[in-house]
Amino acid sequence: MPFVRFTGFEKNVVETAAPAIIECISGIANIPEEIVKIELLHVEKITNSPRSVEIFMFPREEEKHHAIAENINRILENLGCPHTHIFYVLLNPSLYYKEGQPLKRIPAKTPPEIRL
């Protein structure tokens, strides 16, 4: 968690962008990189739909959401994918379950150990 879901992208673009996006989200949201999940959705368009990135995550300060979206947009534009729609689906931590049990705390990065 969070889940970042791409729609309307070629697989190679998502694979190329994934490391930078994971690093971006991890750094801004202060979460371990290994919990950021990247998915490519294959959908059948019925009407004209833009490329999109859905970010399912717990609420953060608005500035952090803006920073993540701006960075993802920049990464995708640099890979030749302008005009991407990016939006959040904000999850309620008290209604998020792992193995049927409610989440007790939101994971955060562990600060590096300081050795003297």
Side-chain angles (χ1 to χ4, degrees):
M1 158 56 82
F3 292 92
V4 184
R5 295 180 174 158
F6 291 79
T7 303
F9 287 86
E10 296 295 325
K11 183 177 182 180
N12 67 317
V13 171
V14 177
E15 288 175 334
T16 300
I21 290 172
I22 290 169
E23 182 179 339
C24 162
I25 293 172
S26 171
I28 294 170
N30 191 36
I31 56 175
E33 288 187 1
E34 59 271 8
I35 69 170
V36 179
K37 310 300 184 220
I38 304 284
E39 300 175 337
L40 175 60
L41 303 180
H42 299 284
V43 299
E44 186 174 340
K45 293 182 180 184
I46 304 301
T47 62
N48 186 20
S49 301
R51 279 187 296 258
S52 64
V53 179
E54 304 170 49
I55 304 167
F56 291 75
M57 67 186 295
F58 299 130
R60 302 286 195 294
E61 295 84 8
E62 191 171 323
E63 304 80 39
K64 290 185 179 190
H65 290 295
H66 290 327
I68 290 169
E70 288 171 0
N71 278 282
I72 290 174
N73 186 68
R74 182 182 40 76
I75 291 164
L76 294 173
E77 281 184 342
N78 288 340
L79 291 172
C81 297
H83 313 297
T84 298
H85 291 217
I86 300 171
F87 58 93
Y88 290 89
V89 177
L90 297 179
L91 305 173
N92 183 336
S94 66
L95 296 174
Y96 190 91
Y97 298 83
K98 289 180 82 171
E99 299 174 358
Q101 300 300 311
L103 194 64
K104 300 284 190 223
R105 64 177 184 80
I106 298 174
K109 282 186 184 178
T110 306
E113 210 176 290
I114 299 174
R115 296 177 186 231
L116 301 175

